[in-house]
Amino acid sequence: MSSQREENPQRQWSLQDFEIGKPLGKGKFGRVYLAREIKSKYVVALKVLYKEQIEKYRLHHQLRREMEIQTGLRHPNVLRLYGWFHDAERIYLILEYAHGGELYRLLRKTGHLREKQAATYIASLTQALAYCHQKHVIHRDIKPENLLLDHEGRLKIADFGWSVQSSLKRHTMCGTLDYLAPEMVENKAHDYAVDNWTLGVLCYEFLYGIPPFEAENQKDTFRRIIKVDLSFPSIPNVSADAKDLISRLLVKDSSKRLSLQKILEHPWINKNADPTGTCPK
Ligand code: AMP
């Protein structure tokens, strides 16, 4: 189907082009179904959003932005958006199918990940973010729920709802608390380095099973983020290399955080990440 789109980018899709299969999940604004394009037999995920909901929450601009950004991105670790169409009540997004589902589910099932698994995901994420940053896209909402896995366990960044395409510093307050960089919590100008902070938070959560600044309430999480109140529990036993990488990413001064290039050169990544990016459970 991708080649069909590339040959004919103006192609107008409609529901008649697809056979609808089992539901894959339910999001805030609609459901996602397994589907197959009838002509090519190409398997996709069809995300169905209700226009009424989108309008009620005034999300149409954000959604359009998400769709435009994601359509332009081509990277093995970024979920493809092949196209979209709508009818009177619904908007349909034609998405790459991620057979392995949410990384979040895997993390909750196993408690925490093995170092090789965690390093492979961090390397894949770093490569995907380097690509996005090159395209002037800051994701800003990277969290395990927005990370999907394909049939080979390859990580795919999904959900560009909060991302911003701009080379300018941003002043907007958004994102999920636990993963927010101090400059976002304090509502200060922020740039690409917010995604580098989030890599540190995710690396911690992959290895320990909980995000590093988790607290009883939002106010305490805010406080812990601003102070960079970071500690490493003794259980599970995590390597010194991994802790070193996390400590170099969870740095208050955004200009002093390890760059994406330096993450890929870090000994923990070198020793543990699978170069193919695939990761059997
Ligand atoms: P969302 O509305 O994007 O939060 O999606 C709801 C649920 O559907 C997610 O939690 C996933 O489990 C599933 N899902 C979404 N997109 C895909 C996809 N491209 N491939 C497979 N499952 C998906």
Side-chain angles (χ1 to χ4, degrees):
M1 191 166 84
S2 57
S3 64
Q4 207 174 12
R5 250 203 78 78
E6 265 133 32
E7 280 161 28
N8 182 8
Q10 301 305 317
R11 162 97 203 233
Q12 290 291 311
W13 298 103
S14 80
L15 204 51
Q16 275 81 50
D17 294 313
F18 298 90
E19 280 167 356
I20 308 298
K22 67 170 181 180
L24 294 171
K26 193 171 173 289
K28 230 184 278 165
F29 299 103
R31 285 173 194 276
V32 182
Y33 297 91
L34 188 63
R36 191 159 67 166
E37 204 256 327
I38 292 168
K39 245 193 200 153
S40 64
K41 299 202 166 23
Y42 198 92
V43 173
V44 295
L46 207 59
K47 189 167 178 173
V48 184
L49 304 165
Y50 284 87
K51 285 183 175 174
E52 199 185 285
Q53 289 277 306
I54 301 293
E55 269 149 36
K56 184 171 153 199
Y57 292 97
R58 301 177 164 275
L59 286 172
H60 37 289
H61 293 300
Q62 188 178 314
L63 180 66
R64 180 154 274 277
R65 193 175 62 190
E66 171 180 356
M67 296 193 302
E68 277 163 6
I69 291 175
Q70 209 175 340
T71 315
L73 299 175
R74 301 282 150 86
H75 188 276
N77 301 111
V78 175
L79 194 80
R80 279 286 306 271
L81 173 62
Y82 297 114
W84 64 83
F85 55 92
H86 61 104
D87 58 23
E89 284 122 45
R90 290 164 287 232
I91 301 168
Y92 303 84
L93 308 188
I94 313 167
L95 291 163
E96 177 181 353
Y97 171 48
H99 185 264
E102 283 178 33
L103 176 55
Y104 184 76
R105 213 176 303 151
L106 176 66
L107 190 60
R108 288 294 160 264
K109 207 168 85 185
T110 58
H112 59 91
L113 306 180
R114 287 176 282 114
E115 296 215 12
K116 284 198 183 315
Q117 233 178 344
T120 302
Y121 294 144
I122 293 296
S124 298
L125 256 172
T126 305
Q127 283 160 346
L129 287 174
Y131 169 82
C132 290
H133 290 184
Q134 229 177 48
K135 294 240 172 197
H136 308 295
V137 174
I138 319 176
H139 190 289
R140 301 196 301 185
D141 195 26
I142 296 162
K143 50 185 175 179
E145 296 91 316
N146 287 343
L147 303 175
L148 299 176
L149 300 172
D150 75 3
H151 61 291
E152 293 182 306
R154 191 178 286 105
L155 176 142
K156 304 271 174 181
I157 303 184
D159 207 339
F160 279 75
W162 283 118
S163 60
V164 159
Q165 192 157 28
S166 168
S167 53
L168 296 171
K169 288 216 166 200
R170 288 272 139 191
H171 283 269
T172 340
M173 185 71 183
C174 65
T176 312
L177 220 52
D178 270 306
Y179 304 91
L180 285 186
E183 60 272 28
M184 287 184 81
V185 168
E186 293 181 302
N187 212 7
K188 290 183 184 158
H190 55 271
D191 59 13
Y192 299 107
V194 297
D195 284 343
N196 300 42
W197 170 278
T198 309
L199 279 174
V201 175
L202 278 176
C203 190
Y204 187 106
E205 185 169 7
F206 288 168
L207 294 168
Y208 290 99
I210 46 161
F213 308 112
E214 196 175 63
E216 289 275 313
N217 54 60
Q218 286 206 346
K219 221 167 112 195
D220 289 346
T221 304
F222 261 66
R223 219 175 281 143
R224 292 196 65 196
I225 294 172
I226 291 164
K227 281 202 306 192
V228 195
D229 179 15
L230 177 66
S231 63
F232 297 107
S234 52
I235 299 169
N237 188 24
V238 166
S239 71
D241 278 342
K243 290 183 213 167
D244 179 80
L245 176 62
I246 294 167
S247 308
R248 288 174 195 275
L249 289 168
L250 299 179
V251 174
K252 178 129 181 180
D253 180 348
S254 65
S255 69
K256 300 217 162 70
R257 284 175 207 149
L258 215 59
S259 69
L260 297 178
Q261 188 51 43
K262 286 273 184 333
I263 297 174
L264 294 173
E265 292 165 9
H266 192 276
W268 184 68
I269 296 290
N270 271 324
K271 281 181 215 158
N272 294 290
D274 183 319
T276 68
T278 58
C279 209
K281 277 182 207 165

